[in-house]
Amino acid sequence: MADNTTLIKTIIEGIQEKKGHDIVHVDLSAIEEAPARAFVIATGGSTMQVDAVADSIREYVEKTIGVRPFNYDGYDNSEWIIIDYGTVFAHVFLDETRRRFDLEHLWSDAEIVEIPDIY
């Protein structure tokens, strides 16, 4: 299994491959009760793009560092797809759904790193 830093970097690259935007890395490592050590959160402009970004993450991470997710969910409506890598969860949202759930601010003690859009 890749270390978390490599996994997070690779997830971000997978998001950028399909032009996912508003990417943030939420570092949860200092929060004992957190469900993971980190979240990587991104937005897609449509349900088709949310699907494409989530597929890209799964394919790119496996191809690049040989890691497959433990599970994933959300393809039924593609408003919020979560990909579970154990210690790191990748979340891909439609904009409205992301604003409604506001995951990055749910964990107020977490360090949030914004990743600049590359396009």
Side-chain angles (χ1 to χ4, degrees):
M1 181 79 173
D3 64 82
N4 281 350
T5 302
T6 301
L7 179 57
I8 291 164
K9 177 183 172 293
T10 309
I11 289 169
I12 291 168
E13 290 168 356
I15 293 166
Q16 292 170 332
E17 285 280 312
K18 294 296 180 185
K19 296 184 168 70
H21 58 279
D22 298 328
I23 304 167
V24 295
H25 163 214
V26 181
D27 183 351
L28 301 165
S29 60
I31 303 172
E32 195 172 308
E33 64 275 4
R37 306 313 323 143
F39 289 165
V40 179
I41 304 171
T43 302
S46 67
T47 56
M48 286 179 54
Q49 188 184 21
V50 169
D51 276 356
V53 170
D55 287 346
S56 179
I57 292 167
R58 292 176 32 233
E59 293 165 8
Y60 188 83
V61 169
E62 184 172 2
K63 180 182 86 176
T64 305
I65 60 175
V67 175
R68 297 176 77 177
F70 291 107
N71 204 352
Y72 48 87
D73 194 21
Y75 280 92
D76 291 344
N77 66 15
S78 300
E79 291 182 15
W80 174 7
I81 296 176
I82 181 171
I83 305 168
D84 175 2
Y85 286 100
T87 57
V88 179
F89 293 174
H91 300 268
V92 186
F93 285 98
L94 274 178
D95 187 52
E96 179 183 318
T97 307
R98 182 172 177 175
R99 284 193 313 266
R100 183 172 52 237
F101 288 96
D102 197 20
L103 281 188
E104 49 266 64
H105 298 105
L106 181 64
W107 300 92
S108 59
D109 296 344
E111 178 185 345
I112 297 174
V113 178
E114 296 181 10
I115 311 300
D117 292 338
I118 61 170
Y119 57 93

